[in-house]
């Protein structure tokens, strides 16, 4: 699948010079030479920005995700303020499952809360397939953003089947994932049926975003680090692979990210990603050896470092840029999302520093 001038590539499949597909971000994802290491931040459109808090005042999270004008404005805010190399669509991983008929809400201070957690095959059957009309507000938001962003690429995203399943089984966020694992181990057929249904929903949701013009997609498996590699391969990998391999013909880079996934990095790459996100626990050069030479890496500054004095931040940023040179492609990011108490000015300084340090290195050959 290719798009025209508003998207990633021309109709002949070749990137248009100066367009999103020729951006440092997309080039790094494809392991191509770049003028500097590209930077964006997970949760860059969010609570650390005063303009975000102002625009979200008295607007619920799900409602804000369903208003294209609001989605577009929130997505653009960090691009204007920080000069990041990519925007990421403002949304939430539970948006598609809500569209699929799951009764849930995003409760401030808690996160997604599911009215009737999944327990039976009948519960799984009630999760219906989705199409563009079910998430037309996302389609509209992406098109608005692509027109506004010009050469800056837009990243679409979705939650991976395991993480979505965990929310649906637990009924909300969980530290132990005890109910999730009990279902996974005790009723494997039901578990695989649930994940297969969620993979179908996720794949459809990402295709809507790609058809509307996003330049890359990221699959968030935030809670996959709760599993051993053996369990990941048995219970999770096949369903993540359904999503990522289902986008192999889409013509956009696919990023796969989870937290606490040091022992899973190789397997996560095998799921079909072009780029594997790495949290702050694993140095990028070590991660690259585990992932292999056929994939770029993304990461991996500890978000809490941004709360430290600038001298500490600068040292850590330089370390990560240096370690990222071991990879065939590197996108600078955090090891997880921006914390709400982060000073936005520090994020802007990080972008400038990464660009300066990596551009000098590129010039030196």
């Amino acid at each position: 699948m290719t798009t025209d001038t508003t998207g990633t590539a021309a109709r002949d499949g070749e990137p248009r010079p100066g367009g999103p597909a020729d951006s440092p971000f997309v080039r790094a994802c494809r392991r191509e030479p770049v003028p500097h290491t590209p930077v964006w931040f997970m949760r860059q459109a969010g609570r650390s920005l005063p303009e975000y808090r102002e625009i979200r005042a008295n607007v619920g999270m799900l409602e804000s995700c369903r208003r294209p004008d609001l989605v577009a404005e929130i997505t653009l805010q960090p691009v204007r303020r920080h000069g990041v190399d990519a925007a990421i669509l403002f949304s939430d991983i539970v948006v598609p499952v809500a569209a699929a008929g799951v009764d849930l809400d995003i409760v401030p201070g808690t996160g997604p809360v599911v009215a009737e957690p999944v327990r039976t095959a009948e519960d799984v059957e009630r999760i219906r397939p989705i199409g563009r009309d079910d998430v037309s507000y996302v389609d509209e938001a992406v098109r608005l953003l692509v027109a506004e962003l010009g050469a800056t690429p837009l990243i679409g995203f979705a939650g991976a089947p395991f993480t979505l399943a965990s929310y649906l089984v637990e009924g909300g966020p969980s530290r132990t994932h005890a109910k999730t694992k009990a279902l996974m181990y005790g009723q494997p057929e039901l578990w695989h049926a649930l994940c297969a249904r969620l993979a179908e929903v996720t794949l459809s949701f990402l295709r809507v975003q790609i058809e509307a013009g996003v330049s890359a997609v990221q699959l968030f498996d935030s809670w996959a680090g709760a599993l051993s590699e053996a369990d990941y391969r048995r219970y999770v990998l096949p369903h993540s692979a359904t999503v990522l391999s289902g986008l192999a013909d889409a013509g956009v880079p696919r990023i796969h990210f989870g937290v606490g996934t040091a022992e899973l990095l190789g397997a996560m790459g095998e799921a079909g990603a072009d780029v594997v996100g790495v949290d702050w626990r694993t140095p990028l050069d070590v991660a690259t050896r585990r992932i292999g030479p056929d994939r770029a890496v993304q990461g991996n500054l500890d978000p809490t470092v941004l709360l430290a004095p600038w001298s500490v931040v600068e040292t850590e940023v330089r370390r990560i840029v240096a370690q990222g040179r071991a990879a065939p492609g590197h996108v600078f990011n955090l090891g997880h999302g921006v914390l709400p108490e982060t000073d936005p000015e520090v994020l802007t300084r990080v972008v400038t520093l990464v660009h300066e340090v990596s551009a000098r290195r590129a010039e030196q050959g």
Side-chain angles (χ1 to χ4, degrees):
M1 179 192 307
T2 56
T3 54
D4 60 18
T5 53
T6 63
T8 301
R11 293 193 182 279
D12 59 6
E14 292 299 318
R16 294 190 183 281
D22 199 35
S23 65
F25 167 74
V26 172
R27 292 182 66 85
C29 290
R30 290 180 168 154
R31 309 186 306 282
E32 297 172 353
V34 292
H36 60 258
T37 299
V39 190
W40 71 277
F41 304 108
M42 287 180 282
R43 292 184 186 161
Q44 64 187 17
R47 296 168 292 175
S48 69
L49 298 182
E51 56 265 42
Y52 169 81
R53 292 193 292 271
E54 179 179 352
I55 201 171
R56 274 288 318 282
N58 303 315
V59 182
M61 182 64 180
L62 274 178
E63 180 187 350
S64 66
C65 293
R66 292 167 175 161
R67 287 176 49 181
D69 59 333
L70 202 56
V71 169
E73 172 58 24
I74 292 171
T75 301
L76 290 167
Q77 286 175 350
V79 179
R80 299 190 194 109
R81 181 184 273 263
H82 304 312
V84 286
D85 292 285
I88 185 165
L89 181 70
F90 175 75
S91 188
D92 191 275
I93 64 170
V94 299
V95 165
V97 291
V102 176
D103 184 2
L104 59 81
D105 192 15
I106 302 174
V107 179
T110 300
V113 175
V114 179
E116 298 181 14
V118 171
R119 296 287 182 268
T120 67
E122 289 73 23
D123 295 334
V124 173
E125 285 301 314
R126 284 197 290 271
I127 304 171
R128 61 176 182 261
I130 67 169
R132 191 195 67 82
D133 290 345
D134 297 297
V135 288
S136 58
Y137 43 87
V138 172
D139 175 86
E140 183 179 345
V142 170
R143 293 178 189 277
L144 287 172
L145 280 161
V146 168
E148 184 72 20
L149 284 165
T152 301
L154 175 64
I155 305 168
F157 79 91
F162 173 78
T163 293
L164 293 177
S166 184
Y167 276 117
L168 296 187
V169 173
E170 300 286 343
S174 172
R175 292 182 181 275
T176 63
H177 308 281
K179 294 175 183 176
T180 302
K181 292 184 178 182
L183 179 66
M184 190 175 73
Y185 296 138
Q187 301 182 70
E189 289 186 4
L190 178 59
W191 170 260
H192 285 295
L194 172 60
C195 287
R197 179 60 58 91
L198 292 172
E200 179 184 359
V201 169
T202 299
L203 180 56
S204 297
F205 188 56
L206 289 173
R207 282 203 172 274
V208 168
Q209 296 174 59
I210 291 168
E211 289 168 3
V214 299
S215 296
V217 292
Q218 177 156 310
L219 189 67
F220 283 86
D221 211 351
S222 306
W223 310 133
L227 301 174
S228 68
E229 183 182 359
D231 284 347
Y232 178 85
R233 289 184 176 279
R234 181 176 181 181
Y235 296 109
V236 177
L237 178 56
H239 305 292
S240 294
T242 294
V243 178
L244 292 167
S245 64
L247 299 174
D249 66 340
V252 302
R254 299 155 293 172
I255 308 168
H256 199 14
F257 172 76
V259 182
T261 55
E263 298 303 320
L264 308 180
L265 290 171
M268 290 181 72
E270 291 172 25
D274 302 293
V275 185
V276 177
V278 183
D279 76 7
W280 65 93
R281 298 169 179 88
T282 309
L284 290 180
D285 49 353
V286 174
T288 294
R289 291 195 293 270
R290 295 179 182 179
I291 295 164
D294 298 328
R295 294 171 182 87
V297 298
Q298 179 175 279
N300 66 339
L301 183 68
D302 186 334
T304 63
V305 168
L306 296 172
L307 309 180
W310 175 251
S311 60
V312 176
V313 177
E314 180 176 3
T315 297
E316 288 300 290
V317 167
R318 289 178 179 275
R319 176 183 63 83
I320 289 165
V321 170
Q323 290 177 343
R325 295 184 189 122
H330 176 212
V331 176
F332 189 99
N333 207 311
L334 304 182
H336 202 192
V338 176
L339 297 172
E341 58 267 40
T342 304
D343 180 353
E345 179 60 29
V346 175
L347 290 169
T348 304
R349 292 182 72 182
V350 168
V351 174
T352 301
L353 178 61
V354 172
H355 286 173
E356 289 177 352
V357 172
S358 57
R360 285 201 299 269
R361 176 74 179 191
E363 290 170 2
Q364 291 167 2

